[in-house]
Amino acid sequence: MILKVYTSLLLLFLTNSVWTRTVRQVYDDLDPDHWSRYTSECPQECFCPPSFPNALYCDNKGLKEIPPIPARIWYLYLQNNQIETLSEKPFVNATHLRWINLNKNKIKNSGIESGVLSKLKRLLYLFLEENELEEVPAPLPVGLEQLRLARNKISKIPEGVFSHLENLTMLDLHQNSLLDSALQSDTFQGLNNLMQLNIAKNSLKKMPLSIPANTLQLFLDNNSIEVIPENYFNAIPKVTFLRLNYNKLSDDGIPPNGFNVSSILDLQLSHNQLTKIPPINAHLEHLHLDHNKIKSVNGTQICPVSIALEEDYGYYGNIPRLRYLRLDGNEIQPPIPLDIMICFRLLQAVVI
């Protein structure tokens, strides 16, 4: 896992380096005589930085409409305005757009012209947070990699809206108005490369159906979830970060080995109704159980491996990897039981 993370960071660094050199090359190669043309193309309401000719900054301008976008623009910043509509006209020449930030506007679904988004064939990042959307806009560009729709009024996800978004790696729907009925068994069908799914701060009472199998990060905080279905995580075998803070989980709502999943490294169950620590896997590294109803901790019972075997094999065996344990806000009295320290030898911090 660590090697994969380092590899991803190296690729990201190399990608950013290439991108930076590309921008600089565009800037260095521009003939000064051409700058007058670039200046005249820049919408009067916006700012076109000379050092970043592919970007257009129209944020915080009090705009109610999107101005005509020059053909050279890749990165478009329109956040913090009063924009209500998305029509095709401003984007006629903007065939190279990669990034659009429309956060904090007043866009409703009724104000989005049919097909306007799907025609932006090269768009990779679409930010529509803090608008007035009532459903996920459709159709969407097939090449999207990130879709951010947090803090809207979304209660509906149109059938098949994600079916062609094979490149999408992040979908953020947190702080909307989603009910269980909005998440059908085929809602996320087609999201074969999704890595992060955020449905926190909605109105879910059940774990969502058919999460994409490649999901690494699943955020479900601030819902009303009461039960984890048996073998739920078998369908998402790569899930690494799981957040279920501020739900209504009790001991009865968790199967005997519900969270004993080898892929999970970070498990957050704060602000629930648990009275005991659920069984965990030896691979788990961070466990948040603060603000539950836990009265005592027995290290021998919660240890994912036999303490006797652990002592026999020492650091060469499959010793638990837990490094951080948070238990404050419960009914546990210090000191920390010795068997906790004997089991979890890699613990670096315990909050009690």
Side-chain angles (χ1 to χ4, degrees):
M1 178 61 71
I2 293 175
L3 178 59
K4 289 183 180 180
V5 172
Y6 286 154
T7 303
S8 300
L9 290 174
L10 177 59
L11 289 173
L12 181 61
F13 172 76
L14 293 174
T15 302
N16 286 340
S17 298
V18 171
W19 175 80
T20 303
R21 287 198 300 271
T22 303
V23 171
R24 288 175 178 171
Q25 185 177 2
V26 169
Y27 175 52
D28 294 339
D29 290 348
L30 285 174
D31 189 321
D33 294 337
H34 293 170
W35 276 112
S36 59
R37 177 170 62 86
Y38 278 93
T39 303
S40 63
E41 287 179 348
C42 187
Q44 186 177 5
E45 310 94 326
C46 307
F47 172 60
C48 298
S51 59
F52 197 1
N54 295 114
L56 180 62
Y57 290 87
C58 307
D59 52 307
N60 297 286
K61 302 294 183 182
L63 299 179
K64 293 186 177 181
E65 296 181 351
I66 299 174
I69 310 303
R72 72 176 190 275
I73 299 303
W74 287 20
Y75 306 97
L76 177 59
Y77 299 89
L78 288 160
Q79 66 269 27
N80 293 302
N81 282 294
Q82 304 293 318
I83 297 170
E84 297 181 355
T85 60
L86 291 180
S87 62
E88 185 177 343
K89 186 176 179 181
F91 299 104
V92 169
N93 297 318
T95 56
H96 295 283
L97 276 174
R98 305 290 202 276
W99 172 302
I100 298 179
N101 189 333
L102 277 159
N103 292 345
K104 295 186 178 181
N105 278 283
K106 296 185 177 181
I107 300 169
K108 298 180 179 179
N109 289 91
S110 59
I112 302 177
E113 185 176 335
S114 178
V116 62
L117 293 172
S118 62
K119 291 178 181 177
L120 302 173
K121 303 294 186 183
R122 300 188 183 185
L123 195 66
L124 302 178
Y125 300 89
L126 177 59
F127 300 167
L128 278 164
E129 298 181 352
E130 292 191 58
N131 277 275
E132 298 178 14
L133 298 174
E134 296 176 345
E135 61 183 70
V136 174
L140 292 162
V142 295
L144 272 186
E145 294 182 5
Q146 288 192 16
L147 178 60
R148 302 184 184 229
L149 298 171
R151 294 182 290 278
N152 276 277
K153 302 175 182 178
I154 295 173
S155 61
K156 181 182 178 182
I157 301 178
E159 183 177 356
V161 67
F162 302 127
S163 60
H164 300 295
L165 303 186
E166 294 186 0
N167 296 327
L168 198 72
T169 60
M170 194 193 84
L171 175 59
D172 190 346
L173 288 163
H174 87 267
Q175 201 167 329
N176 276 284
S177 302
L178 292 171
L179 299 171
D180 296 317
S181 58
L183 304 180
Q184 300 299 315
S185 59
D186 59 350
T187 295
F188 301 112
Q189 184 175 349
L191 298 179
N192 299 326
N193 290 296
L194 194 72
M195 298 175 68
Q196 184 187 110
L197 177 59
N198 192 340
I199 325 179
K201 293 188 178 182
N202 278 278
S203 299
L204 304 181
K205 294 183 178 180
K206 300 178 181 179
M207 294 292 285
L209 301 171
S210 301
I211 300 297
N214 285 317
T215 303
L216 296 176
Q217 300 178 338
L218 179 59
F219 303 147
L220 293 164
D221 315 77
N222 293 89
N223 280 285
S224 298
I225 296 171
E226 298 180 355
V227 176
I228 306 295
E230 189 84 33
N231 301 319
Y232 180 84
F233 298 105
N234 288 356
I236 42 175
K238 298 181 180 179
V239 64
T240 305
F241 299 92
L242 177 62
R243 292 198 331 221
L244 281 159
N245 304 319
Y246 291 96
N247 276 282
K248 296 182 179 180
L249 289 171
S250 64
D251 302 327
D252 293 337
I254 300 175
N257 285 297
F259 295 119
N260 188 0
V261 181
S262 60
S263 65
I264 298 178
L265 302 183
D266 191 298
L267 176 59
Q268 300 190 20
L269 297 168
S270 304
H271 294 271
N272 278 279
Q273 299 170 14
L274 303 175
T275 64
K276 59 185 179 181
I277 297 177
I280 59 175
N281 193 272
H283 291 86
L284 187 67
E285 296 183 2
H286 295 84
L287 178 59
H288 298 247
L289 285 165
D290 55 285
H291 297 90
N292 277 275
K293 299 178 180 179
I294 301 170
K295 295 182 179 180
S296 63
V297 180
N298 187 316
T300 303
Q301 290 180 355
I302 69 170
C303 192
V305 301
S306 168
I307 291 180
L309 288 175
E310 187 179 343
E311 290 175 348
D312 289 340
Y313 288 103
Y315 283 96
Y316 299 101
N318 187 29
I319 67 169
R321 301 178 186 176
L322 194 67
R323 289 172 167 80
Y324 180 87
L325 176 60
R326 184 169 178 184
L327 292 166
D328 56 303
N330 284 283
E331 300 174 30
I332 303 168
Q333 299 297 321
I336 300 167
L338 181 60
D339 52 4
I340 290 284
M341 309 309 297
I342 293 174
C343 173
F344 300 108
R345 301 185 185 183
L346 301 180
L347 263 177
Q348 298 175 356
V350 180
V351 183
I352 194 167

